């Protein structure tokens, strides 16, 4: 019989409106690599500081250069790291049994149907530095859901 394990998963989502970040905490019971049950434990939300929001909107409009992109990715990731750290503390989570899943900020989404070259697969550009979030929080961080 497989051993049962309970893990916490914090999902983080930011939308194209760039108004802020939403977090959801799930408790999952696992056995033999399968999810037996999951339960929503809590939610949190935080608005982006106005200056960060302005920079995100400029990035979505394609109005930043590579240096600005790098600084924005860092600052966005640091904002989410601080938000996740506060939530983890409030929810009394442990790094040994918790994962963070972060979608990242959508800067561009080009579905195949909109792609100018019919038959081209399209693409998406998500911005997040998962390594920076993980280093700052101490939690395993998973990103790149659309890559």
């Amino acid at each position: 019989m497989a051993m049962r394990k309970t893990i916490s998963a914090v999902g983080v989502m930011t939308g194209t409106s760039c108004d802020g970040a939403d977090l959801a905490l799930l408790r999952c019971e696992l056995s033999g690599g399968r999810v037996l049950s999951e339960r929503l434990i809590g939610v949190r939300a935080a608005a982006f500081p106005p200056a960060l929001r302005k920079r995100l909107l400029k990035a979505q409009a394609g109005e930043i250069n590579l240096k600005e992109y790098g600084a924005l990715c860092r600052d966005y990731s640091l904002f989410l790291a601080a938000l996740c750290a506060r939530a983890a503390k409030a929810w009394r989570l442990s790094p040994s049994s918790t994962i963070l899943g972060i979608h990242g900020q959508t800067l561009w989404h080009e579905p195949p149907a909109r792609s100018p070259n019919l038959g081209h697969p399209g693409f998406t550009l998500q911005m997040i530095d998962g390594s920076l979030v993980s280093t700052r929080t101490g939690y395993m961080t998973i990103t790149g859901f659309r890559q």
Side-chain angles (χ1 to χ4, degrees), residues 8 10 25 27 87-95 97-98 100 139:
S8 297
V10 177
L25 171 61
R27 285 268 158 69
K89 184 175 181 180
W91 286 329
R92 298 180 183 181
L93 301 177
S94 166
S97 61
T98 302
L100 305 177
Y139 288 85

Side-chain angles (χ1 to χ4, degrees), residues 110-127:
E110 183 82 22
R114 279 189 19 206
S115 187
N117 300 324
L118 294 180
H120 199 274
F123 65 92
T124 189
L125 178 62
Q126 306 298 128
M127 182 183 66

Side-chain angles (χ1 to χ4, degrees), residues 96-113:
S96 66
S97 61
T98 302
I99 58 172
L100 305 177
I102 304 175
H103 180 271
Q105 182 64 46
T106 301
L107 297 182
W108 191 266
H109 184 63
E110 183 82 22

